[in-house]
Amino acid sequence: MSIRVGIVGISGFGGGEALRLIAAHPAFELVYAAGEGSAGSRLVDRFPGVPHGLAGLVIEKWDPAALPDLDLLFASLPTGTSAEALARVPETVKIVDIGGDHRHVEGWAYGLADVWPDRIRGNSRVANPGCFPVATLNTLAPLLAAGLIEPGNIIIDAKTGISGAGRGGGDSRFGYAETNENLQPYGLLQHVHMPEMETTIEQLGGGSAAGLVFTPHLVPMTRGLLVTIYCRGNASTEQCLKAAREFYAERPFVRVTDRPPQTKWASGSNLSFMSYAADPDRNLVIAMGVVDNLGKGAAGHAVQNANLISGLPEAAGLEGAPVWP
């Protein structure tokens, strides 16, 4: 079975990661690539290591009215730029939106694939979660579902590599000189991922997520993301680990570990690592989650969602081991 695939926003980090995964996918055939500044160039000019069979594919200017015959489209566009254009894509073309315009939007499945795979299967429009939300929500889901923590007053301390800002980063703080040997918080109290996390926490926990605090930090590494989450609950560490292992039994990309996870464990993969430390006497649960922000946090998760909506094995094209060291 060959599924004809296109990528919009192929020149960015998310689009480039999607290209890498799709090029090695057993069922996907990349036949269309689109971008803005890179339009008119060949894939090999943008990605010198692309497989020979794709090297001559020309990047086109993004125009939903001029799509070739496609089965599936990956959209890796900045938040705020995809809603109008994707609305003009024919209904016969399945879409996985890696950007943020369709998360928890009517008519689109929220693609938290490790938690809600059955909500994704059979849909033609899927919105990928953001990188911070997927690390956070995957880690909290078992505890919320089991009632081991309160959904309110959760504090999320997050660290991410600079590739999460996209290619170019948008301003000088993402450049080497300002990032190297530096650590900086940003997006205080108003980060774009806050509403997405609040909505999903409430759906998982059945209560208000009021009091949620989320503070992301930029760290001097290229890729990787770690969340340390402080919650209220009187569960023990063993109860948290047991709940997570039962919740994710048979799920192909989740790893529950006894020791705190490290970003390197997930590098270049679609894996999601998590662990817990709890002190019932203090009514405190610390939940820790790790993903690769370009893998599970973006393109890897998008391919996982695409497999689900295409009727393919969920792990197709995603079974490679993380890069180590």
Side-chain angles (χ1 to χ4, degrees):
M1 182 168 97
S2 180
I3 295 173
R4 292 170 59 84
V5 172
I7 303 174
V8 177
I10 197 165
S11 299
F13 289 143
E17 187 79 354
L19 168 61
R20 181 179 72 85
L21 295 171
I22 291 166
H25 196 285
F28 292 164
E29 178 189 4
L30 184 67
V31 298
Y32 173 76
E36 289 297 327
S38 59
S41 59
R42 301 173 303 160
L43 274 186
V44 72
D45 298 326
R46 199 70 173 178
F47 302 98
V50 73
H52 288 299
L54 296 174
L57 186 65
V58 175
I59 301 173
E60 301 182 29
K61 187 174 180 59
W62 166 227
D63 180 359
L67 288 177
D69 180 23
L70 293 179
D71 301 304
L72 174 66
L73 181 68
F74 292 91
S76 184
L77 298 169
T79 298
T81 64
S82 65
E84 186 276 331
L86 293 184
R88 294 188 281 128
V89 173
E91 286 294 325
T92 54
V93 180
K94 296 180 174 69
I95 302 174
V96 178
D97 186 3
I98 302 174
D101 285 9
H102 295 103
R103 294 165 187 160
H104 291 301
V105 170
E106 185 177 355
W108 289 72
Y110 184 63
L112 193 60
D114 300 304
V115 177
W116 290 320
D118 291 337
R119 296 188 183 186
I120 299 162
R121 292 187 181 97
N123 279 281
S124 64
R125 298 291 186 271
V126 176
N128 240 40
C131 54
F132 287 119
V134 72
T136 298
L137 299 170
N138 273 7
T139 304
L140 291 180
L143 309 186
L144 290 165
L148 297 180
I149 60 171
E150 301 171 11
N153 299 307
I154 292 172
I155 298 173
I156 306 162
D157 183 308
K159 311 290 193 300
T160 185
I162 58 174
S163 61
R167 197 165 192 166
D171 62 46
S172 65
R173 67 178 166 158
F174 299 105
Y176 177 81
E178 292 192 29
T179 304
N180 184 46
E181 298 188 23
N182 195 15
L183 176 63
Q184 50 184 306
Y186 66 100
L188 304 180
L189 303 178
Q190 56 184 6
H191 195 278
V192 67
H193 288 320
M194 281 283 288
E196 176 185 351
M197 288 192 284
E198 287 174 335
T199 298
T200 311
I201 287 170
E202 290 177 351
Q203 290 182 7
L204 289 165
S208 172
L212 178 68
V213 177
F214 169 56
T215 304
H217 300 77
L218 194 66
V219 298
M221 61 185 184
T222 300
R223 58 200 296 166
L225 189 155
L226 181 147
V227 291
T228 304
I229 312 165
Y230 303 93
C231 318
R232 291 299 173 192
N234 59 10
S236 67
T237 299
E238 292 70 25
Q239 287 176 305
C240 294
L241 290 168
K242 182 175 183 290
R245 289 182 173 125
E246 290 177 352
F247 188 90
Y248 288 117
E250 310 301 324
R251 304 300 294 133
F253 297 113
V254 178
R255 305 288 187 269
V256 182
T257 71
D258 291 331
R259 54 187 172 131
Q262 305 170 27
T263 58
K264 202 74 171 176
W265 293 358
S267 185
S269 80
N270 192 48
L271 296 176
S272 179
F273 288 89
M274 62 196 65
S275 190
Y276 306 92
D279 186 343
D281 293 336
R282 297 167 61 189
N283 197 37
L284 174 65
V285 174
I286 301 174
M288 297 154 282
V290 158
V291 300
D292 182 317
N293 58 292
L294 294 179
K296 174 64 75 179
H301 205 162
V303 170
Q304 183 180 357
N305 280 320
N307 287 337
L308 286 168
I309 65 176
S310 300
L312 298 171
E314 189 172 348
L318 294 168
E319 296 177 297
V323 177
W324 184 266

